[in-house]
Amino acid sequence: MHIHILGICGTFMGGLAALARAAGHRVTGCDAGVYPPMSDQLRALGIDLIEGFGAEQLALAPDVFVVGNVVSRARLADGTPKFPLMEAILDAGARYTSGPQWLSEQVLAGRHVLAVAGTHGKTTTTSMLAWILESAGLAPGFLVGGVPLNFGVSARLGAAQRPGAPGAAPLFVIEADEYDTAFFDKRSKFVHYRPRTAVLNNLEFDHADIFDDLAAIERQFHHLVRTVPSSGCVVVNGLEESLARVLHAGCWSEVASFGSAVSDWNANGEPGAFDVLLHGKRVASVHWALTGVHNQLNALAAIAAAAHVGVAPAAAAEALQTFQNVRRRMEVRGVVRGITVYDDFAHHPTAIRTTLDGLRRSVGSKVRILAAFEPRSNTMKLGTMKAQLPWALESADLAFCHTAGLDWDAAAALAPLGVGPGQRAQTAPDIATLLAQIVQVAQPGDHIVCMSNGAFGGVHAQLLQALAA
């Protein structure tokens, strides 16, 4: 079929486009503000990209329009529609569906789906699990909200039959997002996926633009649990009270817990080198390049999920030794004059804190960490979690906040750190000011972490250039 994707450059929809292309469909798409890595990946696949959401695209006459959740019925200040193409689709009575619905019907049907859900660590854990299954020779399909460095792409269709297991359903690993499906379907994306193996990695309040409170998110997670068959498995973080409440509401599948002292799966040792324990007995050892307790927990989740489809823990742990993480997850963008610049996707205060804590454990207490960040996610733009920022930045020696687009006072939120030139924190209204602030204080040996869930104005390359000069 010919599908035309609205909002094709988001990580999810871009991955869906790659899967559709691999399945033999004709794919076109449109978006606004196209930027790498997704734009590069799509063009390499021969997918035509159209800038903007003009109504003239209705003339493409695809078999179905696949609508991303960036699209809405919103109006601009002058009263004209923000997404004219969507209005034209509705007026014409043309066929349309959501990304998760199309994926469920056209790709996931007939496969053993392993879905990774959670507020944090979804992308990394999904990538770990896909790499474990790949290393075990199981040729899984996958869809990840990022680019796993082991694979170089965010999505792959995978084998049509499970290697070495005639009759067994082929495997598909998917990052299972709790954000809503589309403007016409306000259920979480993950309820469409019907997993046989569901990982519940962690759960705290996020997405303040669509959820009123934590209980509302817990309800969506329980909807996911309701879709797992009795022969399936729910892999759950035993440290999370919120997830305990989700399972207490009802669970009809096998449960495999990880992380706590009384969990089925546990770790013994530092995050960079640890033993994996199953019911208290050592079953594997992980020695790898990743840092942070959060990644140790991600590894346990991936090992437990892989065990449900027959991968021995020792084989899973061996695969993780060659796991290269995900693009934009503490990705080293360059080293200039002894100063290391990282790119990281952290945008929620908890993610910022765990990222910086992991780096601090790795580099020690005598090395300076400089944190540059922009509160860009919908939740952070609303200021819902601004009070947590000083806590999130505790491991940083210096912090630099890009304040463009905020309608709350970042300096006031960061006041406990001390704000201003010569203080621990500084704010910048634009990228040029941010760069000047960092370059002025950077010293050889510093580690500079740039954190955003967007392009961050290309700050990484500009920073490396400025430091070199």
Short mmCIF file of all heavy atoms in Angstrom, two decimals, residues 52-102:
data_model
loop_
_atom_site.label_atom_id
_atom_site.label_comp_id
_atom_site.label_asym_id
_atom_site.label_seq_id
_atom_site.Cartn_x
_atom_site.Cartn_y
_atom_site.Cartn_z
N GLY A 52 6.23 20.78 5.97
CA GLY A 52 4.94 21.39 6.29
C GLY A 52 3.76 20.45 6.10
O GLY A 52 3.90 19.31 5.64
N PHE A 53 2.57 20.96 6.46
CA PHE A 53 1.35 20.15 6.47
C PHE A 53 0.29 20.76 5.54
O PHE A 53 -0.88 20.90 5.91
CB PHE A 53 0.80 20.05 7.91
CG PHE A 53 1.73 19.35 8.86
CD1 PHE A 53 2.69 20.07 9.57
CD2 PHE A 53 1.67 17.98 9.06
CE1 PHE A 53 3.56 19.44 10.46
CE2 PHE A 53 2.53 17.34 9.94
CZ PHE A 53 3.48 18.07 10.64
N GLY A 54 0.71 21.12 4.33
CA GLY A 54 -0.19 21.77 3.38
C GLY A 54 -1.30 20.85 2.89
O GLY A 54 -1.09 19.65 2.67
N ALA A 55 -2.48 21.43 2.65
CA ALA A 55 -3.65 20.67 2.21
C ALA A 55 -3.46 20.06 0.83
O ALA A 55 -4.12 19.07 0.50
CB ALA A 55 -4.89 21.57 2.22
N GLU A 56 -2.55 20.62 0.03
CA GLU A 56 -2.32 20.10 -1.32
C GLU A 56 -1.82 18.66 -1.31
O GLU A 56 -1.90 17.94 -2.32
CB GLU A 56 -1.35 21.01 -2.09
CG GLU A 56 0.12 20.94 -1.66
CD GLU A 56 0.42 21.74 -0.40
OE1 GLU A 56 -0.48 22.46 0.10
OE2 GLU A 56 1.57 21.65 0.09
N GLN A 57 -1.29 18.20 -0.17
CA GLN A 57 -0.79 16.82 -0.08
C GLN A 57 -1.92 15.79 -0.17
O GLN A 57 -1.66 14.60 -0.37
CB GLN A 57 0.00 16.62 1.22
CG GLN A 57 1.28 17.45 1.29
CD GLN A 57 1.97 17.35 2.64
OE1 GLN A 57 2.17 16.27 3.17
NE2 GLN A 57 2.34 18.51 3.20
N LEU A 58 -3.17 16.23 -0.03
CA LEU A 58 -4.31 15.33 -0.20
C LEU A 58 -4.29 14.70 -1.59
O LEU A 58 -4.72 13.56 -1.78
CB LEU A 58 -5.62 16.10 0.01
CG LEU A 58 -6.90 15.27 0.10
CD1 LEU A 58 -6.92 14.41 1.37
CD2 LEU A 58 -8.14 16.18 0.07
N ALA A 59 -3.72 15.44 -2.55
CA ALA A 59 -3.67 14.96 -3.94
C ALA A 59 -2.75 13.75 -4.12
O ALA A 59 -2.80 13.07 -5.15
CB ALA A 59 -3.22 16.10 -4.85
N LEU A 60 -1.91 13.46 -3.13
CA LEU A 60 -1.07 12.25 -3.20
C LEU A 60 -1.93 10.99 -3.22
O LEU A 60 -1.50 9.95 -3.69
CB LEU A 60 -0.11 12.20 -2.00
CG LEU A 60 1.01 13.25 -1.97
CD1 LEU A 60 1.69 13.26 -0.60
CD2 LEU A 60 2.05 12.94 -3.06
N ALA A 61 -3.13 11.10 -2.66
CA ALA A 61 -4.12 10.00 -2.65
C ALA A 61 -3.55 8.67 -2.20
O ALA A 61 -3.64 7.66 -2.91
CB ALA A 61 -4.75 9.87 -4.05
N PRO A 62 -2.94 8.62 -1.01
CA PRO A 62 -2.42 7.33 -0.51
C PRO A 62 -3.57 6.41 -0.12
O PRO A 62 -4.73 6.84 -0.01
CB PRO A 62 -1.62 7.75 0.72
CG PRO A 62 -2.33 8.96 1.22
CD PRO A 62 -2.78 9.69 -0.02
N ASP A 63 -3.25 5.14 0.12
CA ASP A 63 -4.27 4.21 0.60
C ASP A 63 -4.73 4.59 2.01
O ASP A 63 -5.89 4.40 2.36
CB ASP A 63 -3.72 2.78 0.60
CG ASP A 63 -3.41 2.30 -0.80
OD1 ASP A 63 -4.37 2.08 -1.56
OD2 ASP A 63 -2.22 2.18 -1.14
N VAL A 64 -3.81 5.12 2.80
CA VAL A 64 -4.17 5.57 4.14
C VAL A 64 -3.19 6.65 4.59
O VAL A 64 -2.00 6.60 4.29
CB VAL A 64 -4.20 4.38 5.15
CG1 VAL A 64 -2.82 3.76 5.33
CG2 VAL A 64 -4.77 4.79 6.50
N PHE A 65 -3.73 7.64 5.31
CA PHE A 65 -2.89 8.64 5.98
C PHE A 65 -2.63 8.13 7.41
O PHE A 65 -3.58 7.77 8.11
CB PHE A 65 -3.59 10.00 6.04
CG PHE A 65 -3.72 10.69 4.71
CD1 PHE A 65 -4.86 10.55 3.94
CD2 PHE A 65 -2.69 11.49 4.23
CE1 PHE A 65 -4.99 11.20 2.71
CE2 PHE A 65 -2.80 12.14 3.01
CZ PHE A 65 -3.95 12.00 2.24
N VAL A 66 -1.36 8.10 7.80
CA VAL A 66 -1.00 7.67 9.16
C VAL A 66 -0.65 8.94 9.95
O VAL A 66 0.30 9.64 9.62
CB VAL A 66 0.17 6.67 9.15
CG1 VAL A 66 0.49 6.23 10.57
CG2 VAL A 66 -0.19 5.46 8.29
N VAL A 67 -1.42 9.20 11.00
CA VAL A 67 -1.37 10.50 11.68
C VAL A 67 -0.59 10.41 12.99
O VAL A 67 -0.95 9.65 13.89
CB VAL A 67 -2.81 11.01 11.96
CG1 VAL A 67 -2.77 12.38 12.63
CG2 VAL A 67 -3.62 11.06 10.67
N GLY A 68 0.49 11.17 13.07
CA GLY A 68 1.30 11.22 14.29
C GLY A 68 0.65 12.08 15.37
O GLY A 68 -0.22 12.90 15.08
N ASN A 69 1.09 11.89 16.63
CA ASN A 69 0.42 12.63 17.71
C ASN A 69 0.89 14.07 17.83
O ASN A 69 0.43 14.81 18.71
CB ASN A 69 0.50 11.89 19.05
CG ASN A 69 1.90 11.82 19.63
OD1 ASN A 69 2.85 12.32 19.04
ND2 ASN A 69 2.03 11.21 20.79
N VAL A 70 1.76 14.52 16.91
CA VAL A 70 2.09 15.94 16.83
C VAL A 70 0.93 16.72 16.20
O VAL A 70 0.78 17.93 16.38
CB VAL A 70 3.39 16.15 16.03
CG1 VAL A 70 3.19 15.84 14.54
CG2 VAL A 70 3.92 17.57 16.20
N VAL A 71 0.07 16.01 15.45
CA VAL A 71 -1.01 16.64 14.69
C VAL A 71 -2.22 16.87 15.59
O VAL A 71 -2.56 16.03 16.43
CB VAL A 71 -1.41 15.75 13.48
CG1 VAL A 71 -2.59 16.34 12.73
CG2 VAL A 71 -0.21 15.58 12.56
N SER A 72 -2.88 18.01 15.40
CA SER A 72 -4.07 18.34 16.20
C SER A 72 -5.06 19.16 15.36
O SER A 72 -4.81 19.43 14.19
CB SER A 72 -3.67 19.14 17.45
OG SER A 72 -3.24 20.45 17.06
N ARG A 73 -6.16 19.56 15.98
CA ARG A 73 -7.13 20.44 15.32
C ARG A 73 -6.87 21.91 15.68
O ARG A 73 -7.75 22.76 15.53
CB ARG A 73 -8.56 20.06 15.74
CG ARG A 73 -8.98 18.63 15.46
CD ARG A 73 -9.06 18.29 13.99
NE ARG A 73 -9.98 19.14 13.23
CZ ARG A 73 -11.29 18.96 13.14
NH1 ARG A 73 -11.87 17.97 13.81
NH2 ARG A 73 -12.04 19.77 12.41
N ALA A 74 -5.69 22.20 16.17
CA ALA A 74 -5.37 23.55 16.66
C ALA A 74 -5.50 24.61 15.57
O ALA A 74 -5.33 24.33 14.38
CB ALA A 74 -3.95 23.57 17.23
N ARG A 75 -5.81 25.81 15.99
CA ARG A 75 -5.89 26.97 15.10
C ARG A 75 -4.79 27.96 15.45
O ARG A 75 -4.41 28.10 16.61
CB ARG A 75 -7.25 27.68 15.26
CG ARG A 75 -8.45 26.87 14.77
CD ARG A 75 -8.40 26.73 13.25
NE ARG A 75 -9.63 26.18 12.68
CZ ARG A 75 -9.85 24.90 12.48
NH1 ARG A 75 -8.94 24.01 12.84
NH2 ARG A 75 -10.96 24.49 11.90
N LEU A 76 -4.28 28.65 14.43
CA LEU A 76 -3.31 29.72 14.63
C LEU A 76 -4.02 30.98 15.09
O LEU A 76 -5.26 31.04 15.12
CB LEU A 76 -2.54 29.97 13.32
CG LEU A 76 -1.78 28.76 12.76
CD1 LEU A 76 -1.19 29.10 11.39
CD2 LEU A 76 -0.68 28.32 13.72
N ALA A 77 -3.25 32.01 15.43
CA ALA A 77 -3.82 33.25 15.96
C ALA A 77 -4.82 33.88 14.99
O ALA A 77 -5.79 34.52 15.41
CB ALA A 77 -2.70 34.23 16.30
N ASP A 78 -4.58 33.69 13.68
CA ASP A 78 -5.48 34.30 12.69
C ASP A 78 -6.69 33.43 12.38
O ASP A 78 -7.49 33.75 11.49
CB ASP A 78 -4.71 34.63 11.41
CG ASP A 78 -4.16 33.38 10.71
OD1 ASP A 78 -4.41 32.26 11.23
OD2 ASP A 78 -3.48 33.51 9.69
N GLY A 79 -6.83 32.31 13.11
CA GLY A 79 -7.99 31.45 12.93
C GLY A 79 -7.83 30.35 11.90
O GLY A 79 -8.70 29.49 11.77
N THR A 80 -6.70 30.35 11.17
CA THR A 80 -6.48 29.29 10.17
C THR A 80 -5.96 28.03 10.85
O THR A 80 -5.32 28.10 11.91
CB THR A 80 -5.47 29.74 9.09
OG1 THR A 80 -4.24 30.09 9.74
CG2 THR A 80 -6.00 30.96 8.34
N PRO A 81 -6.21 26.86 10.27
CA PRO A 81 -5.76 25.61 10.91
C PRO A 81 -4.24 25.48 10.92
O PRO A 81 -3.58 25.84 9.94
CB PRO A 81 -6.41 24.51 10.09
CG PRO A 81 -6.89 25.13 8.84
CD PRO A 81 -7.01 26.60 9.05
N LYS A 82 -3.71 24.97 12.01
CA LYS A 82 -2.26 24.72 12.12
C LYS A 82 -1.84 23.55 11.23
O LYS A 82 -0.71 23.50 10.75
CB LYS A 82 -1.91 24.43 13.58
CG LYS A 82 -0.42 24.32 13.85
CD LYS A 82 -0.14 24.11 15.34
CE LYS A 82 1.36 23.99 15.61
NZ LYS A 82 1.62 23.75 17.05
N PHE A 83 -2.79 22.62 10.99
CA PHE A 83 -2.50 21.43 10.18
C PHE A 83 -3.55 21.33 9.06
O PHE A 83 -4.48 20.51 9.13
CB PHE A 83 -2.50 20.16 11.04
CG PHE A 83 -1.46 20.18 12.14
CD1 PHE A 83 -1.79 20.61 13.43
CD2 PHE A 83 -0.16 19.78 11.88
CE1 PHE A 83 -0.84 20.63 14.43
CE2 PHE A 83 0.80 19.80 12.89
CZ PHE A 83 0.46 20.24 14.16
N PRO A 84 -3.40 22.15 8.02
CA PRO A 84 -4.40 22.17 6.94
C PRO A 84 -4.64 20.80 6.31
O PRO A 84 -5.76 20.49 5.90
CB PRO A 84 -3.79 23.15 5.92
CG PRO A 84 -2.85 24.00 6.70
CD PRO A 84 -2.31 23.12 7.78
N LEU A 85 -3.58 19.97 6.22
CA LEU A 85 -3.74 18.65 5.61
C LEU A 85 -4.74 17.80 6.39
O LEU A 85 -5.57 17.11 5.80
CB LEU A 85 -2.38 17.94 5.52
CG LEU A 85 -2.40 16.50 5.00
CD1 LEU A 85 -3.08 16.41 3.63
CD2 LEU A 85 -0.98 15.94 4.93
N MET A 86 -4.68 17.88 7.73
CA MET A 86 -5.61 17.09 8.54
C MET A 86 -7.04 17.53 8.31
O MET A 86 -7.96 16.70 8.20
CB MET A 86 -5.25 17.21 10.03
CG MET A 86 -5.94 16.18 10.90
SD MET A 86 -5.41 14.48 10.54
CE MET A 86 -6.99 13.67 10.22
N GLU A 87 -7.25 18.83 8.20
CA GLU A 87 -8.60 19.34 7.92
C GLU A 87 -9.10 18.84 6.56
O GLU A 87 -10.26 18.46 6.41
CB GLU A 87 -8.61 20.87 7.96
CG GLU A 87 -8.19 21.47 9.30
CD GLU A 87 -9.08 21.02 10.45
OE1 GLU A 87 -10.30 20.91 10.26
OE2 GLU A 87 -8.53 20.75 11.55
N ALA A 88 -8.18 18.82 5.56
CA ALA A 88 -8.55 18.35 4.22
C ALA A 88 -8.90 16.86 4.24
O ALA A 88 -9.84 16.42 3.56
CB ALA A 88 -7.40 18.62 3.25
N ILE A 89 -8.14 16.07 5.02
CA ILE A 89 -8.42 14.64 5.15
C ILE A 89 -9.81 14.41 5.73
O ILE A 89 -10.60 13.59 5.22
CB ILE A 89 -7.35 13.97 6.05
CG1 ILE A 89 -5.98 13.95 5.36
CG2 ILE A 89 -7.77 12.55 6.44
CD1 ILE A 89 -4.82 13.59 6.28
N LEU A 90 -10.13 15.15 6.78
CA LEU A 90 -11.44 15.01 7.42
C LEU A 90 -12.57 15.45 6.49
O LEU A 90 -13.59 14.77 6.38
CB LEU A 90 -11.47 15.82 8.73
CG LEU A 90 -10.54 15.31 9.85
CD1 LEU A 90 -10.46 16.34 10.97
CD2 LEU A 90 -11.02 13.97 10.39
N ASP A 91 -12.37 16.58 5.82
CA ASP A 91 -13.40 17.08 4.90
C ASP A 91 -13.66 16.11 3.75
O ASP A 91 -14.80 15.94 3.30
CB ASP A 91 -12.99 18.45 4.34
CG ASP A 91 -13.11 19.56 5.37
OD1 ASP A 91 -13.87 19.38 6.34
OD2 ASP A 91 -12.43 20.59 5.22
N ALA A 92 -12.58 15.47 3.25
CA ALA A 92 -12.70 14.57 2.11
C ALA A 92 -13.20 13.18 2.50
O ALA A 92 -13.53 12.36 1.63
CB ALA A 92 -11.35 14.46 1.41
N GLY A 93 -13.22 12.91 3.80
CA GLY A 93 -13.59 11.57 4.25
C GLY A 93 -12.54 10.53 3.87
O GLY A 93 -12.85 9.35 3.70
N ALA A 94 -11.29 10.99 3.74
CA ALA A 94 -10.20 10.08 3.37
C ALA A 94 -9.87 9.15 4.54
O ALA A 94 -10.13 9.47 5.71
CB ALA A 94 -8.97 10.89 2.97
N ARG A 95 -9.31 8.00 4.23
CA ARG A 95 -9.00 7.01 5.26
C ARG A 95 -7.77 7.45 6.04
O ARG A 95 -6.75 7.83 5.46
CB ARG A 95 -8.75 5.65 4.60
CG ARG A 95 -8.59 4.52 5.59
CD ARG A 95 -8.46 3.17 4.90
NE ARG A 95 -8.00 2.18 5.87
CZ ARG A 95 -7.12 1.22 5.60
NH1 ARG A 95 -6.60 1.12 4.40
NH2 ARG A 95 -6.77 0.36 6.53
N TYR A 96 -7.87 7.41 7.38
CA TYR A 96 -6.72 7.73 8.22
C TYR A 96 -6.71 6.84 9.45
O TYR A 96 -7.74 6.28 9.84
CB TYR A 96 -6.73 9.22 8.62
CG TYR A 96 -7.86 9.64 9.54
CD1 TYR A 96 -7.70 9.62 10.92
CD2 TYR A 96 -9.09 10.05 9.02
CE1 TYR A 96 -8.73 10.00 11.76
CE2 TYR A 96 -10.13 10.43 9.86
CZ TYR A 96 -9.94 10.40 11.23
OH TYR A 96 -10.97 10.77 12.06
N THR A 97 -5.52 6.70 10.03
CA THR A 97 -5.35 5.90 11.24
C THR A 97 -4.19 6.47 12.03
O THR A 97 -3.47 7.35 11.56
CB THR A 97 -5.12 4.42 10.88
OG1 THR A 97 -5.13 3.62 12.08
CG2 THR A 97 -3.76 4.21 10.19
N SER A 98 -3.98 5.96 13.23
CA SER A 98 -2.84 6.39 14.04
C SER A 98 -1.63 5.50 13.75
O SER A 98 -1.76 4.40 13.21
CB SER A 98 -3.17 6.30 15.53
OG SER A 98 -3.29 4.93 15.93
N GLY A 99 -0.45 5.97 14.14
CA GLY A 99 0.77 5.17 13.97
C GLY A 99 0.72 3.86 14.73
O GLY A 99 0.95 2.78 14.16
N PRO A 100 0.40 3.88 16.04
CA PRO A 100 0.34 2.63 16.79
C PRO A 100 -0.69 1.64 16.24
O PRO A 100 -0.44 0.44 16.22
CB PRO A 100 -0.03 3.10 18.20
CG PRO A 100 0.54 4.47 18.30
CD PRO A 100 0.33 5.06 16.93
N GLN A 101 -1.84 2.14 15.78
CA GLN A 101 -2.87 1.26 15.23
C GLN A 101 -2.37 0.59 13.94
O GLN A 101 -2.53 -0.62 13.75
CB GLN A 101 -4.14 2.06 14.94
CG GLN A 101 -5.31 1.21 14.44
CD GLN A 101 -5.98 0.42 15.54
OE1 GLN A 101 -6.08 0.90 16.66
NE2 GLN A 101 -6.43 -0.78 15.24
N TRP A 102 -1.75 1.39 13.06
CA TRP A 102 -1.23 0.83 11.81
C TRP A 102 -0.15 -0.22 12.10
O TRP A 102 -0.14 -1.29 11.50
CB TRP A 102 -0.65 1.95 10.93
CG TRP A 102 -0.30 1.48 9.54
CD1 TRP A 102 -1.10 1.46 8.45
CD2 TRP A 102 0.95 0.90 9.12
NE1 TRP A 102 -0.44 0.92 7.36
CE2 TRP A 102 0.83 0.56 7.75
CE3 TRP A 102 2.17 0.64 9.76
CZ2 TRP A 102 1.87 -0.01 7.02
CZ3 TRP A 102 3.20 0.05 9.03
CH2 TRP A 102 3.04 -0.26 7.67
#
